[in-house]
Amino acid sequence: MNLKCFAFFCCLFDFGHMFVIFVCIDNVMARPRKPGKIQTPPRAKAFMPVGYYKSSSEAVQLNIEEFEVFRLLDYEGLTQSEAAKLMQISRSGVARIYEKARYKLAKALTEAKKIDIEGGSNLFDNDWYECERCNSKFNSLESESPGTCPLCNSTYIHMVNN
Amino acid sequence: MRIVIPIDDNSLTSNVSDTFARSNYFALVDKENGNLKMVENPFKAMTKGVGVKLFEWLVDTHKMNALLAFEMGYKVQQMASEANLQIIIVNEQNKTLEELLNFMGIEPDSKI
Ligand SMILES: [Zn+2]
């Protein structure tokens, strides 16, 4: 923000430096962004088209953030600002992710492509686990693994990160 | 662990409700001693602010510390996270209360 103001200020007086300054801004913007918080893992790992198998090997990769933004805006009906607050990212970040998500989904539906939902650990509000016995998903309230499923007490659980 | 389960009607064969806050009934299950209580959702008809009332009622009045659901709106999820509750999301839609009690090792017949 400061850099932007500075750039604007300089532009008023010195057009010669505009190019350099904008390169700087671009560099700042290209820094890796903090990933948005995700509430719960998506229910399915992938979606498959039925009746058209030609390009099934080539899947559209929808990442979990894109899935979450799409879900919050179009399923939960939140505004971009509300979604941004919930995911702890900027509103413009939400807008960018939303555009990508919509394009990918439109592409998958139009071209009959498989949709893979890519994981990413440490994105969730809590760590999430899945029970291999009862297939439920549950959050972990402590930093270490819960050890057993809170529903059926099975010890066959694994972390959901993919 | 005291688990709240949203159910469509107040019977053991009831399905887990599709919605959490607007569920008709709740089953309040104490996993340790196997106690089961089915109560009507007093906030079902409320138009606004259901979540806050519902959480006060579940957590403060009924001392529940875990929520089980098939589907949970983002607000319920957010409040559950903030209240540090255990969230359990069951996989299939047609899980009945009876099946869930079996998973918990609770014999429902003797507890009704
Ligand atoms: Zn389990």
Side-chain angles (χ1 to χ4, degrees), chain A residues 126 139 141, chain B residues 20 55 59 65-67 72 74-87:
Chain A
N126 303 114
N139 60 345
L141 302 173
Chain B
F20 190 84
F55 267 73
V59 177
N65 54 19
L67 309 184
M72 223 178 260
Y74 83 96
K75 271 192 184 145
V76 172
Q77 277 180 38
Q78 198 179 17
M79 278 188 278
S81 263
E82 277 164 13
N84 210 31
L85 301 186
Q86 175 78 68
I87 304 171

Side-chain angles (χ1 to χ4, degrees), chain B:
Chain B
M1 188 176 293
R2 293 170 61 79
I3 305 179
V4 51
I5 305 173
I7 44 177
D8 289 336
D9 57 74
N10 59 347
S11 73
L12 285 172
T13 50
S14 171
N15 281 336
V16 175
S17 177
D18 280 350
T19 71
F20 190 84
R22 305 279 173 192
S23 169
N24 290 337
Y25 292 87
F26 292 108
L28 310 178
V29 183
D30 189 320
K31 210 181 153 192
E32 271 70 51
N33 61 21
N35 276 340
L36 164 69
K37 213 162 47 169
M38 288 187 242
V39 289
E40 203 169 351
N41 179 0
F43 311 107
K44 186 180 154 50
M46 259 177 85
T47 47
K48 268 171 80 181
V50 184
V52 176
K53 289 268 175 226
L54 181 61
F55 267 73
E56 277 174 12
W57 184 70
L58 289 172
V59 177
D60 299 338
T61 311
H62 289 288
K63 310 289 175 216
M64 306 313 281
N65 54 19
L67 309 184
L68 181 148
F70 172 69
E71 180 66 66
M72 223 178 260
Y74 83 96
K75 271 192 184 145
V76 172
Q77 277 180 38
Q78 198 179 17
M79 278 188 278
S81 263
E82 277 164 13
N84 210 31
L85 301 186
Q86 175 78 68
I87 304 171
I88 305 167
I89 296 183
V90 285
N91 198 25
E92 289 115 306
Q93 189 165 8
N94 54 1
K95 283 257 164 81
T96 64
L97 177 58
E98 208 165 18
E99 287 173 296
L100 293 173
L101 292 172
N102 285 337
F103 270 131
M104 290 184 233
I106 296 172
E107 284 290 332
D109 288 337
S110 58
K111 299 290 175 189
I112 292 287

Side-chain angles (χ1 to χ4, degrees), chain A:
Chain A
M1 206 55 188
N2 282 338
L3 191 57
K4 268 188 195 163
C5 294
F6 173 71
F8 179 70
F9 191 69
C10 289
C11 294
L12 289 178
F13 299 100
D14 185 359
F15 288 91
H17 284 126
M18 253 175 100
F19 176 73
V20 178
I21 288 158
F22 279 110
V23 168
C24 289
I25 291 172
D26 271 354
N27 284 341
V28 170
M29 307 254 311
R31 250 190 342 214
R33 196 174 44 79
K34 183 176 71 116
K37 289 270 181 210
I38 313 289
Q39 286 199 314
T40 48
R43 226 169 278 172
K45 290 180 168 68
F47 291 88
M48 278 292 283
V50 174
Y52 182 81
Y53 301 104
K54 204 176 163 191
S55 61
S56 62
S57 60
E58 204 186 308
V60 166
Q61 310 290 325
L62 189 70
N63 74 42
I64 206 163
E65 264 186 307
E66 290 161 351
F67 179 91
E68 182 77 345
V69 166
F70 186 72
R71 181 182 77 88
L72 290 175
L73 297 188
D74 285 344
Y75 181 79
E76 295 281 3
L78 301 197
T79 64
Q80 292 188 349
S81 307
E82 288 166 337
K85 210 174 147 200
L86 199 65
M87 294 179 72
Q88 297 170 29
I89 55 177
S90 67
R91 200 214 46 87
S92 57
V94 166
R96 271 195 303 273
I97 296 168
Y98 184 57
E99 284 308 309
K100 277 191 210 158
R102 286 187 49 164
Y103 175 71
K104 286 182 182 180
L105 290 168
K107 184 182 166 79
L109 296 184
T110 307
E111 298 177 12
K113 285 195 182 343
K114 182 185 172 205
I115 304 168
D116 278 334
I117 299 179
E118 295 177 319
S121 49
N122 306 320
L123 292 175
F124 300 108
D125 275 353
N126 303 114
D127 285 337
W128 282 82
Y129 289 82
E130 187 169 13
C131 172
E132 287 159 31
R133 180 169 172 242
C134 70
N135 294 322
S136 43
K137 288 185 175 136
F138 52 93
N139 60 345
S140 164
L141 302 173
E142 280 106 47
S143 51
E144 71 257 42
S145 167
T148 58
C149 168
L151 182 64
C152 74
N153 293 340
S154 166
T155 53
Y156 293 95
I157 60 169
H158 62 263
M159 203 169 173
V160 182
N161 52 12
N162 266 307

